[in-house]
Amino acid sequence: AQKVTQAQTEISVVEKEDVTLDCVYETRDTTYYLFWYKQPPSGELVFLIRRNSFDEQNEISGRYSWNFQKSTSSFNFTITASQVVDSAVYFCALSGNRDDKIIFGKGTRLHILP
Amino acid sequence: GAVVSQHPSRVICKSGTSVKIECRSLDFQATTMFWYRQFPKKSLMLMATSNEGSKATYEQGVEKDKFLINHASLTLSTLTVTSAHPEDSSFYICSARIPGLAADTQYFGPGTRLTVL
C-alpha cells in the first residue's frame, strides 16, 4: 500500500527564519514520483516540484529546496528566509507506476508570522 | 503549462437537490481525469478516476450512485452530487492527465466549493 506521512500538522515561524517540512513515504513500486503542492487560502493547488524515484539529486529553486533520501524514504522541503506569503498548507504526495493515482499526505499548515 | 478549469467555483444548494460540477481541460485532451474531495482542514481524498468513454472507477467507500461521473469527451468530465445533503459540503477538485506523458503529469483545477444547506 502507498502512504504519505506528514508528521507536522502545523508549524509557526517568524518571518525570515528557515523552515523544513517533513515527508515520509511508503511504496512497493520501484518507480514512483514524489510531489509537493502548496495550497493557499484560495484553495487552488499550486504545483511546486515533481521528482522521480531514480533522481536523488537535491533540488533548489530560489528560496525552496528539496532533499530526497531513498534510504530513509523521505522527501523533505525547506523554505529559506521565509516570507509571510509562504503561509499556506503544503502537501507532499506520491504516485506509483502501476496507476496514475496521486496519494496525498495530510498536509502541514505553515504560518509565517511577521 | 496545461490549464484545467472547474465550473462553478462555488455553489450553494438546498438539501435534496442535485449539483453538477464540470472539469475541463482547456488546452489539451485528457483521456483520464480524477476527482478529489477535501474536507475543511483535511487532505485531498481521491474519489474516482474518470476515463473518457468508459465507466468511472470509484475508490473504496465512495458511493457511485451518489457521485455520478461522466466523461463524455476528451476535454470534459462532470461530477454530479445527487440528492445532496449537508455532509456532502466539501471542496471538490479535479485533475487531468496528459495522455502519452509520464503518469506523474497531472494538472489540477481550481476547485469547487459546495455548500449544502
Side-chain angles (χ1 to χ4, degrees):
Chain A
Q2 300 193 18
K3 186 179 177 182
V4 177
T5 301
Q6 294 180 256
Q8 305 148 308
T9 306
E10 203 156 345
I11 300 175
S12 293
V13 300
V14 177
E15 197 174 18
K16 296 183 184 176
E17 287 185 359
D18 299 346
V19 58
T20 295
L21 309 182
D22 298 332
C23 174
V24 174
Y25 63 91
E26 294 176 31
T27 181
R28 293 180 183 171
D29 290 339
T30 53
T31 302
Y32 52 90
Y33 306 90
L34 295 163
F35 309 80
W36 275 96
Y37 290 90
K38 174 182 180 180
Q39 188 177 43
S42 64
E44 185 165 356
L45 281 179
V46 178
F47 168 81
L48 296 179
I49 190 171
R50 172 181 59 243
R51 177 51 50 95
N52 76 53
S53 51
F54 296 111
D55 183 1
E56 281 195 75
Q57 277 192 335
N58 291 331
E59 180 152 340
I60 298 175
S61 176
R63 296 185 296 108
Y64 295 169
S65 62
W66 291 269
N67 186 324
F68 178 25
Q69 300 266 351
K70 280 181 85 168
S71 60
T72 56
S73 297
S74 65
F75 187 43
N76 296 338
F77 171 35
T78 297
I79 301 175
T80 303
S82 60
Q83 300 176 1
V84 174
V85 293
D86 296 328
S87 297
V89 181
Y90 290 85
F91 290 99
C92 180
L94 165 71
S95 177
N97 65 337
R98 294 182 214 180
D99 56 40
D100 299 335
K101 298 178 185 179
I102 294 182
I103 306 299
F104 286 82
K106 292 188 176 182
T108 297
R109 187 172 297 274
L110 177 64
H111 300 279
I112 308 299
L113 308 172
Chain B
V3 178
V4 175
S5 71
Q6 281 184 242
H7 178 79
S9 58
R10 195 178 282 270
V11 57
I12 301 173
C13 69
K14 292 182 178 180
S15 188
T17 60
S18 294
V19 176
K20 181 186 284 187
I21 302 171
E22 293 184 348
C23 177
R24 291 182 186 275
S25 55
L26 297 184
D27 50 0
F28 66 99
Q29 294 182 328
T31 51
T32 305
M33 291 183 173
F34 304 86
W35 287 96
Y36 295 83
R37 181 176 183 176
Q38 185 180 27
F39 289 106
K41 298 193 176 183
K42 297 292 183 184
S43 186
L44 281 78
M45 300 300 297
L46 180 64
M47 299 174 66
T49 302
S50 168
N51 295 297
E52 187 268 336
S54 64
K55 290 184 178 180
T57 303
Y58 290 81
E59 294 299 302
Q60 193 172 11
V62 178
E63 299 175 60
K64 57 183 69 176
D65 295 331
K66 172 79 172 172
F67 299 100
L68 300 179
I69 291 173
N70 184 284
H71 194 156
S73 78
L74 288 172
T75 59
L76 173 65
S77 175
T78 60
L79 167 67
T80 301
V81 183
T82 62
S83 187
H85 288 95
E87 57 265 30
D88 298 324
S89 298
S90 192
F91 192 55
Y92 292 89
I93 304 175
C94 73
S95 71
R97 176 172 171 260
I98 294 180
L101 296 185
D104 60 322
T105 311
Q106 281 188 35
Y107 296 89
F108 286 84
T112 297
R113 195 167 300 282
L114 170 64
T115 303
V116 185
L117 303 176

